[in-house]
């Protein structure tokens, strides 16, 4: 007899480099990744795609659009009208104000922030505590020293 089972998983791996291949492997085997929303504040008008992990006290504001397989960590704030791609890691206490777009495969470490109307590309790393005030291209590691912007291309 053939037995079929539904396997529910929660993807808790922060490292973007490893998360995409692991999720793809699970999806290829028909596993279902569970969306986890314990004690998060989610607006009724927000759109959250499948299999995101949103942890306690995270906040997703009205009309935000969150793509697939994102991880939103404790106490992060996703402002209104944000559009986010897939496979992003948003660290604890990260603040995305409003009206901006973020691509896919990005890593935002804790306490970073983005001011309104900024676009962030794909495969970027935003170091802890950084405030982005200018658009970010693809494949960058961003950190600021005093008032200088230092960008390292991956």
């Amino acid at each position: 007899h053939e037995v079929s089972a539904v396997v529910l998983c929660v993807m808790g791996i922060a490292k973007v480099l490893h998360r995409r291949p692991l999720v793809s492997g699970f999806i290829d085997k028909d596993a279902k990744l569970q969306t986890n929303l314990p004690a998060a504040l989610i607006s009724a008008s927000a759109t959250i795609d499948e299999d995101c992990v949103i942890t306690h006290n995270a906040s997703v504001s009205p009309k935000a659009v969150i793509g697939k397989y994102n991880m939103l960590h404790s106490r992060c704030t996703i402002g209104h009208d944000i559009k986010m791609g897939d496979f992003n890691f948003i660290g604890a206490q990260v603040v995305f104000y409003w009206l901006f777009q973020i691509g896919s495969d990005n890593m935002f470490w804790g306490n970073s922030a983005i001011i309104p109307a900024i676009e962030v590309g794909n495969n970027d790393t935003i170091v802890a505590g950084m405030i982005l005030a200018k658009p970010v291209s693809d494949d960058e590691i961003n950190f600021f020293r005093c008032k200088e912007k230092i960008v390292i291309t991956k």
Side-chain angles (χ1 to χ4, degrees):
H1 299 298
E2 188 173 315
V3 177
S4 64
V6 174
V7 176
L8 295 177
C9 304
V10 174
M11 181 51 63
I13 297 172
K15 184 88 172 160
V16 174
L17 177 68
H18 302 300
R19 196 161 76 242
R20 183 179 285 274
L22 286 170
V23 167
S24 297
F26 284 129
I27 299 302
D28 289 347
K29 292 180 173 66
D30 296 320
K32 173 68 176 150
L33 295 171
Q34 180 67 41
T35 298
N36 188 12
L37 306 171
L41 303 171
I42 311 293
S43 170
S45 67
T47 302
I48 300 172
D49 216 326
E50 62 187 74
D51 306 325
C52 289
V53 175
I54 303 176
T55 64
H56 71 285
N57 295 328
S59 173
V60 181
S61 299
K63 298 183 183 176
V65 178
I66 310 296
K68 298 177 184 177
Y69 313 114
N70 289 293
M71 177 182 259
L72 282 61
H73 215 284
S74 305
R75 298 176 310 281
C76 72
T77 301
I78 308 301
H80 70 81
D81 298 291
I82 297 292
K83 291 183 178 40
M84 183 185 302
D86 305 328
F87 288 98
N88 293 293
F89 172 80
I90 312 304
Q93 295 182 261
V94 169
V95 177
F96 293 163
Y97 290 96
W98 58 87
L99 294 172
F100 94 85
Q101 185 166 341
I102 175 175
S104 297
D105 299 298
N106 295 295
M107 180 160 260
F108 289 83
W109 287 105
N111 295 308
S112 59
I114 299 177
I115 66 167
I118 297 293
E119 290 191 21
V120 175
N122 301 297
N123 196 34
D124 295 312
T125 299
I126 310 306
V127 178
M130 298 302 102
I131 298 173
L132 293 180
K134 295 181 180 177
V136 177
S137 301
D138 294 341
D139 303 309
E140 292 183 355
I141 298 172
N142 280 258
F143 59 94
F144 294 85
R145 184 178 62 195
C146 299
K147 293 186 178 187
E148 299 172 327
K149 179 179 179 183
I150 299 169
V151 176
I152 300 169
T153 304
K154 292 182 185 177

